[in-house]
Amino acid sequence: MKNQINLLNQLQELVLTRDEHHATGDGSHMEALDKAIDDLVDRLQPEIRSLYMRLYKKDHIVMAPMNNGCCAICGMRLPISQVQAVKLCKQLQNCPSCARMLFDEEDEAPRWIGEKASRTEPRKSGVGRFSAEELMIPDLQSTDTEGAIRELAEAMESSHFVSSADALVSGALKRESILSTALGDGIAFPHVRGVEGGGLTLALGISKKGFVFDDSGEKVNIVFFSAIPTAVSAFYLRLIKCLSESFAKEENRKALIAAKTKTELWKALTKATRHSIQ
Ligand SMILES: [Zn+2]
């Protein structure tokens, strides 16, 4: 069963990558992604395949990580016997509420460890809902993709937003290997999905000189790095659309690149997104 769960998770990541490419890319990789998806579907056992198809018709998120004994997608608390069964992984388990296929996350998987919103402080708005000044890096030291992602992942870990920077880096590189997240204008959106336990986290790094991000030789100056709970995948798509639109304007990109300190970078990001991200 473990092998089928792994296939299903790979399949879901491919489908969500295709959704991203459809929403934000130029469509040039659609055919290759379709083919990779069909190949994986063929490797599912027949009864799991038909269940997959049924769930997929309703929603592209068919897999539900188990988080603290709950379905991480719909939030339903699972019966203790089912929690055990999901851990044992002998038989496929479906969430009693949303019917998605449940799986137990690896122990070393990165997790959201941020502070829960305080009841007494005013609610944050705009980009401040999922990012913060301490997640800004105005001058990335690295001159390659892995190094830049590592600096951003370490900022998330050291400012207590997400655990396991190492696991974040390997997750993000795995995602890059499916399809580059450089989307033009010198901006890339590397990300890791399946970071459960809380909300989305967004870090921003600027390389003043720029570096080659992927095999196509595309040069990147601006790196938005996100750790995403599976349940907010659709919101993430809207977020990268907003960010790419805001930073399609050259003056907004220049303001990010000119920022010398974390505070200046945070101000430039907040200012450029104040209308697009509510
Ligand atoms: Zn559920």
Side-chain angles (χ1 to χ4, degrees):
M1 186 51 66
K2 189 94 194 126
N3 160 279
Q4 291 286 302
I5 297 274
N6 286 342
L7 277 180
L8 285 160
N9 275 322
Q10 281 174 43
L11 182 55
Q12 173 159 300
E13 191 55 32
L14 273 176
V15 166
L16 295 173
T17 301
R18 184 176 62 184
D19 290 348
E20 282 166 28
H21 188 53
H22 183 69
T24 59
D26 57 4
S28 58
H29 291 82
M30 248 8 202
E31 218 171 295
L33 287 167
D34 283 341
K35 164 105 180 40
I37 288 167
D38 290 345
D39 287 350
L40 274 186
V41 171
D42 283 344
R43 288 167 61 193
L44 295 174
Q45 290 167 6
E47 66 275 25
I48 292 181
R49 191 186 307 141
S50 59
L51 177 60
Y52 169 81
M53 295 298 202
R54 245 185 302 144
L55 290 168
Y56 178 83
K57 274 188 196 145
K58 283 195 274 177
D59 191 81
H60 286 185
I61 294 173
V62 299
M63 300 304 289
M66 188 168 73
N67 185 257
N68 278 331
C70 296
C71 166
I73 307 300
C74 74
M76 170 88 173
R77 179 156 294 283
L78 305 168
I80 291 171
S81 58
Q82 191 171 32
V83 171
Q84 307 277 323
V86 173
K87 285 189 174 157
L88 272 174
C89 199
K90 289 247 160 57
Q91 264 178 335
L92 193 67
Q93 298 291 319
N94 295 90
C95 170
S97 171
C98 70
R100 290 185 176 87
M101 299 184 256
L102 292 159
F103 69 98
D104 194 18
E105 284 199 299
E106 312 273 330
D107 289 339
E108 63 270 23
R111 262 168 237 286
W112 188 84
I113 49 167
E115 278 174 43
K116 300 269 181 219
S118 151
R119 281 164 199 259
T120 51
E121 278 174 47
R123 256 174 69 99
K124 289 181 178 142
S125 61
V127 73
R129 285 188 291 134
F130 37 78
S131 191
E133 192 175 311
E134 58 264 45
L135 296 172
M136 302 293 107
I137 305 182
D139 199 2
L140 287 167
Q141 298 301 304
S142 310
T143 51
D144 61 74
T145 304
E146 179 172 350
I149 291 174
R150 177 164 295 281
E151 284 182 59
L152 290 158
E154 282 171 358
M156 282 188 185
E157 186 182 279
S158 64
S159 52
H160 305 288
F161 276 86
V162 179
S163 68
S164 346
D166 287 345
L168 281 178
V169 176
S170 60
L173 291 176
K174 217 165 134 191
R175 168 61 188 81
E176 290 302 323
S177 72
I178 302 176
L179 186 64
S180 169
T181 60
L183 296 179
D185 292 327
I187 312 178
F189 295 91
H191 57 267
V192 187
R193 209 187 313 277
V195 182
E196 309 300 335
L200 188 144
T201 308
L202 175 77
L204 167 61
I206 304 299
S207 166
K208 306 283 184 205
K209 285 188 193 149
F211 61 92
V212 173
F213 191 82
D214 58 31
D215 293 344
S216 76
E218 175 149 356
K219 229 177 164 189
V220 155
N221 291 92
I222 301 171
V223 185
F224 287 103
F225 180 52
S226 306
I228 316 164
T230 310
V232 302
S233 296
F235 169 75
Y236 176 69
L237 274 187
R238 292 199 297 276
L239 176 66
I240 44 176
K241 267 187 130 165
C242 286
L243 290 170
S244 4
E245 277 162 24
S246 299
F247 293 101
K249 296 189 189 108
E250 198 184 359
E251 54 183 282
N252 287 343
R253 292 200 299 277
K254 277 189 171 160
L256 293 187
I257 295 167
K260 290 189 190 69
T261 62
K262 283 180 187 289
T263 311
E264 282 178 21
L265 183 54
W266 179 239
K267 275 192 186 146
L269 173 64
T270 319
K271 189 175 169 215
T273 57
R274 70 188 181 286
H275 297 304
S276 55
I277 299 173
Q278 302 290 323

